[in-house]
Amino acid sequence: MTPFRYARAADVPEALRLGAEPGASYLGGGTNLVDLLRETVARPERLVDVSGLPAAIEETAAGGLRIDAAVRNTALAEHPVVRTRYPMLARAILAGASAQIRNMATVGGNLLQRTRCTYFYDTDGSRCNKRSPGAGCDAREGFNRIHAVLGASQACVATHPSDMCVALAALDARVHVTGPSGPRRIAFDDLHRLPGDAPDRDTILASGELIEAIELPPLAYGATSTYRKVRDRASYAFALVSVAAALKLDGDRVSDVRIAFGGVAHKPWRATRAEAALRGAVATHQAYLDAAALEFEDARPLRDNAFKPILAGRTLAAVLQALARGETA
């Protein structure tokens, strides 16, 4: 581990002052960053601990929910408003990691966790453009079962690992950030970026910017939502494919729907094509499969992950059928 300086910020102004120093990184629960430090993938000169900043969950005047970045994942998943109005978010959080890690991890840190691509962590010989820009990408021709099929580039085929972020994408969350240029709000779908030719940049955040909170807008049919994660084993595995969805029916037709996929791209993938195809359509199993096929029309599978578009379609169909029956489990 490379030596670094450590400071615990007492408030947001102090965090911004310390975070503006060259080579500084913010530290939340440390459940991902400490791993990256151990593997020498991350080498910050200073860690600014922001885990002691405000950690409240409050209803907004508009009927949504504001969640401070230092809120622990467990607290968010257990919050009664989240469980009743946004069950997809509670289920997504509970699908991620172990209970011990969820007790430590923070909301802000979850948004900024980095890919679990094996080649990204292998500092002893693997080429990785995300870790070392311009080095090359061994995942393209290597073992790429978990890698991206949508939105990837020649430079990077890594996937985003977060379960929580898939639900936040489907819910149209907003991210409140502040930094040297002042506060701003970012639509959740704009926070994470596709790799392009700069895969070392996971988000659009500027240097020194701090995530203060996320805001969930009210969603009238949010209670009819869920999250399903398909993985290689029942516990502690990242998603091969995951689906966050909310469904509203008018008789036998879909009047509104929200869908996001995980495990298929460099960012949580909001399925706008599938949503548009389903709005107004008769709610049938085939309609769900057709909508998923449309969403994955531009998929570019690699050697080991050609199963992902099919698996994603079948998972989406199963999730929407369950929601149509009134099931959220």
Side-chain angles (χ1 to χ4, degrees):
M1 185 180 291
T2 305
F4 55 83
R5 293 172 292 144
Y6 169 89
R8 183 175 172 85
D11 51 32
V12 170
E14 185 179 26
L16 293 178
R17 180 177 59 77
L18 294 169
E21 294 183 15
S25 288
Y26 294 119
L27 174 72
T31 55
N32 181 215
L33 182 54
V34 171
D35 287 345
L36 295 171
L37 291 168
R38 266 195 218 107
E39 300 295 334
T40 66
V41 174
R43 301 180 183 185
E45 296 175 24
R46 177 190 277 282
L47 284 182
V48 182
D49 188 341
V50 292
S51 62
L53 298 185
I57 302 173
E58 297 175 335
E59 295 192 56
T60 65
L65 209 59
R66 179 189 160 100
I67 303 155
D68 285 334
V71 168
R72 304 288 175 174
N73 285 11
T74 297
L76 182 58
E78 292 179 348
H79 194 277
V81 174
V82 175
R83 294 179 63 183
T84 54
R85 295 189 204 165
Y86 308 98
M88 76 159 76
L89 179 57
R91 292 190 173 279
I93 295 169
L94 294 175
S98 64
Q100 292 91 338
I101 290 176
R102 292 195 296 270
N103 290 342
M104 283 295 297
T106 64
V107 169
N110 196 291
L111 268 57
L112 298 180
Q113 65 176 304
R114 308 208 69 189
T115 184
R116 262 55 177 188
C117 174
T118 304
Y119 302 97
F120 176 65
Y121 280 79
D122 180 14
T123 58
D124 290 333
S126 293
R127 297 179 305 156
C128 175
N129 288 318
K130 181 176 282 295
R131 189 184 66 244
S132 304
C137 174
D138 280 343
R140 291 197 65 84
E141 303 301 327
F143 183 67
N144 42 46
R145 174 176 167 78
I146 68 168
H147 289 77
V149 295
L150 291 172
S153 71
Q154 288 296 315
C156 184
V157 292
T159 51
H160 192 272
S162 169
D163 296 291
M164 177 195 295
C165 288
V166 182
L168 293 176
L171 291 168
D172 279 337
R174 298 185 185 90
V175 186
H176 295 232
V177 304
T178 188
S181 301
R184 61 174 175 145
R185 295 184 182 186
I186 303 171
F188 195 83
D189 196 42
D190 295 334
L191 175 66
H192 299 98
R193 56 185 300 283
L194 294 177
D197 58 2
D200 54 309
R201 294 180 54 222
D202 291 337
T203 71
I204 65 166
L205 293 181
S207 177
E209 279 194 315
L210 173 71
I211 295 176
E212 282 195 285
I214 58 172
E215 182 180 338
L216 303 182
L219 181 61
Y221 60 98
T224 312
S225 71
T226 195
Y227 181 79
R228 186 170 296 186
K229 179 178 181 179
V230 183
R231 46 191 163 181
D232 280 329
R233 61 177 188 270
S235 67
Y236 212 89
F238 294 94
L240 293 172
V241 163
S242 66
V243 173
L247 180 67
K248 182 181 180 184
L249 295 179
D250 183 3
D252 63 350
R253 291 186 180 272
V254 176
S255 61
D256 208 350
V257 64
R258 300 282 185 90
I259 302 167
F261 290 103
V264 299
H266 196 256
K267 59 183 288 185
W269 191 266
R270 182 67 184 272
T272 53
R273 284 186 183 181
E275 290 178 357
L278 284 172
R279 289 192 181 101
V282 176
T284 65
H285 182 261
Q286 189 59 50
Y288 302 149
L289 290 176
D290 291 345
L294 183 63
E295 190 65 45
F296 282 85
E297 195 174 46
D298 297 331
R300 296 290 181 270
L302 302 165
R303 185 193 64 200
D304 301 326
N305 65 5
F307 65 91
K308 283 196 173 186
I310 299 169
L311 180 61
R314 291 175 178 173
T315 306
L316 176 65
V319 165
L320 294 180
Q321 281 188 302
L323 291 176
R325 293 192 297 266
E327 302 169 6
T328 58

